Amino acid sequence: MSVDLAELQRGVAALIRGAAPPTPDPWLEEVATSPRLGLVQYIITSWREMLLRRSAPLTTTLLDDANRLADSFARIATRPESPFTEDLACAFLADFVDDEDPLVAEVARFEMRMIDAAHAPRQSGV
Amino acid sequence: MVALSPLPAPSPALGMSWNGGDELLLQRLLPYVDFVETTPDTIARKQHGRAVIPDETLDELRRIATTKTLLVHGVGLSIGSHDGWCEDYLSLLDQLFATVDVAWHSEHLGYTRVDGAMLGTMLVLPRAAEALDLLCRRIDAIQERYAVPFLVENVVDLLPPHPESRYSQARFLNELTRRTGCGLLLDVYNLQCDAQNQRLDLDAFFDELDFRPVREVHIANGVEHDGVRLDVHSRRTDETARHLADIVLRRAANVEVIVYEFLPQAIRPIGHDALTEELALLHARFCA
């Protein structure tokens, strides 16, 4: 291959994040200008949005009603992915716990606590 | 459309994906299936900073396994990452295999992480010698680690074809199964996606593929975006996928199960009645 597997994967990962590949390569240049790269980014964003709507339904609904949801999703799109949905949701909600809209702030804090409680290990009580 | 071969079709069992949810729905669906397939990454939760499968989920799987055959199908191993696979995923497998009986496990032939960072999606490797060698080493290591049989699954390719993909898709799969002895999970919806998105010649693919290692078939349906078919498992199957499954089942004598895949997030949009109808339809079509 013109670049080895490691450089190829690093290059694709960089392109997905909107950065330049660390090592130039003709195929990576083709990917950079292909509409398919945008499609892959769209899939990643859509998946995150779906998970956030599911994990934080109240906060996302309030933001949607205020026409603020698209900007909120865009902000989180560039952050590192976590394998845990609850990490993604808490990172998203953390942006709103001190929101200027007191209802949004209160609901975001409530949903963060709900996520913490739902995923805390069960105590074997006596 | 690919023509059917005249060979008689074997009768596989029917299976479904299940990653927790409404107990009433589970009880409605279970009579139609003999296999239940679960995804460790999906059922895992974060506890003390690491992924674990909650006790109540393990209890549910144990209950299912008393009457159905349990399969494990991963998405997070990232078997194709240049810098190594995901150890957290293997921890989940360790936990599952220690507590429930599993007939076999499988994973996608792709990568979801690079240098430890998640991509947020799954991508395929170039079908070249370096990738083939890496995958064979990893498959060998997994088969050494677990006594349970291991199957690999074809993945939808979205990016432009890599110029150094010297192997056809079928020949690449043939080489993997021949060199490692692993099984093959053939996803006919993924083939449908590749045929539409990458102009995969399905006649040539089926003529070249060694069907003997195919032990499981996946069937699903998704959505299109800007003319590109996406692998999202959000709908009932269509006739194209069912026809492809017919072709595979006529050629693959060792298939034990055809699994209908649906995301937990798709349950509400599809609906309980429609899911039940879908399993009844698939059972009548493939398993009668």
Side-chain angles (χ1 to χ4, degrees):
Chain A
M1 281 190 284
S2 44
V3 292
D4 66 13
L5 195 59
E7 287 309 309
L8 183 138
Q9 292 185 350
R10 287 183 184 124
V12 172
L15 289 171
I16 286 174
R17 292 193 305 270
T23 308
D25 172 75
W27 181 74
L28 290 172
E29 286 172 22
E30 185 186 348
V31 172
T33 57
S34 165
R36 294 295 178 86
L37 175 64
L39 179 69
V40 168
Q41 291 166 327
Y42 164 80
I43 291 168
I44 295 168
T45 305
S46 301
W47 184 251
R48 281 186 173 197
E49 289 181 11
M50 191 265 295
L51 291 176
L52 287 173
R53 284 180 187 274
R54 194 175 148 102
S55 305
L58 302 177
T59 307
T60 51
T61 300
L62 280 174
L63 292 170
D64 210 5
D65 289 346
N67 291 319
R68 296 172 57 194
L69 192 57
D71 286 347
S72 313
F73 284 154
R75 268 210 306 278
I76 203 162
T78 54
R79 294 181 192 169
E81 186 89 13
S82 165
F84 302 113
T85 304
E86 49 268 46
D87 283 351
L88 176 69
C90 286
F92 173 79
L93 291 168
D95 284 350
F96 300 101
V97 293
D98 295 317
D99 196 80
E100 60 190 19
D101 181 332
L103 181 59
V104 169
E106 197 60 47
V107 169
R109 283 196 288 269
F110 169 73
E111 287 196 312
M112 274 185 92
R113 285 183 190 145
M114 290 288 287
I115 291 168
D116 284 344
H119 297 108
R122 299 278 158 87
Q123 302 289 321
S124 54
V126 281
Chain B
M1 184 61 77
V2 181
L4 293 176
S5 92
L7 295 173
S11 259
L14 184 63
M16 66 170 184
S17 53
W18 184 259
N19 293 299
D22 189 332
E23 176 66 22
L24 289 176
L25 175 64
L26 178 64
Q27 294 310 321
R28 279 185 73 180
L29 300 181
L30 279 178
Y32 295 94
V33 300
D34 291 311
F35 287 68
V36 173
E37 187 167 83
T38 193
T39 296
D41 327 64
T42 305
I43 60 176
R45 294 291 175 265
K46 185 180 176 184
Q47 286 182 5
H48 302 301
R50 55 188 284 268
V52 295
I53 301 170
D55 289 341
E56 56 269 31
T57 306
L58 290 171
D59 287 343
E60 181 182 52
L61 293 175
R62 278 193 213 98
R63 282 196 302 276
I64 292 171
T66 58
T67 56
K68 308 295 173 184
T69 302
L70 203 62
L71 303 175
V72 169
H73 181 54
V75 294
L77 176 60
S78 202
I79 195 170
S81 289
H82 77 90
D83 53 320
W85 55 32
C86 175
E87 289 291 340
D88 287 345
Y89 177 79
L90 294 183
S91 298
L92 295 176
L93 278 187
D94 292 342
Q95 193 189 358
L96 265 177
F97 291 159
T99 44
V100 289
D101 289 330
V102 174
W104 64 77
H105 68 122
S106 57
E107 181 57 72
H108 302 80
L109 283 169
Y111 63 101
T112 56
R113 293 165 179 257
V114 176
D115 295 329
M118 289 188 69
L119 292 171
T121 190
M122 182 180 292
L123 299 174
V124 302
L125 299 150
R127 294 188 298 274
E130 184 187 7
L132 186 61
D133 291 342
L134 177 142
L135 289 169
C136 285
R137 285 197 305 274
R138 301 254 171 93
I139 293 168
D140 285 341
I142 285 184
Q143 293 187 129
E144 205 164 296
R145 178 171 174 144
Y146 300 110
V148 179
F150 182 58
L151 281 58
V152 292
E153 183 189 8
N154 57 306
V155 176
V156 172
D157 191 1
L158 283 175
L159 293 177
H162 195 279
E164 299 200 25
S165 282
R166 300 281 159 78
Y167 294 86
S168 67
Q169 192 172 147
R171 192 169 153 233
F172 195 76
L173 296 172
N174 290 347
E175 280 299 305
L176 280 172
T177 53
R178 183 186 65 78
R179 283 169 53 172
T180 66
C182 74
L184 190 58
L185 192 177
L186 202 56
D187 189 316
V188 294
Y189 179 65
N190 289 356
L191 293 176
Q192 182 183 344
C193 292
D194 279 346
Q196 178 171 328
N197 304 338
Q198 302 282 26
R199 298 180 182 167
L200 172 68
D201 181 338
L202 292 176
D203 282 315
F205 176 86
F206 288 135
D207 284 345
E208 192 177 15
L209 186 71
D210 178 1
F211 280 91
R212 288 171 299 183
V214 182
R215 196 162 172 185
E216 179 179 352
V217 171
H218 271 179
I219 190 165
N221 196 5
V223 295
E224 285 190 37
H225 180 79
D226 290 343
V228 179
R229 183 165 285 278
L230 304 182
D231 179 25
V232 289
H233 305 164
S234 57
R235 294 191 173 181
R236 293 184 64 173
T237 63
D238 67 10
E239 186 50 34
T240 304
R242 293 193 290 266
H243 180 72
L244 291 176
D246 280 333
I247 293 164
V248 170
L249 294 175
R250 277 169 169 75
R251 296 193 187 197
N254 298 319
V255 172
E256 293 180 48
V257 60
I258 177 167
V259 172
Y260 172 52
E261 288 188 289
F262 55 91
L263 288 170
Q265 295 85 351
I267 290 175
R268 187 178 293 173
I270 295 175
H272 291 196
D273 289 344
L275 278 172
T276 311
E277 287 167 15
E278 180 67 24
L279 289 178
L281 180 151
L282 294 175
H283 192 276
R285 170 95 173 230
F286 299 114
C287 312

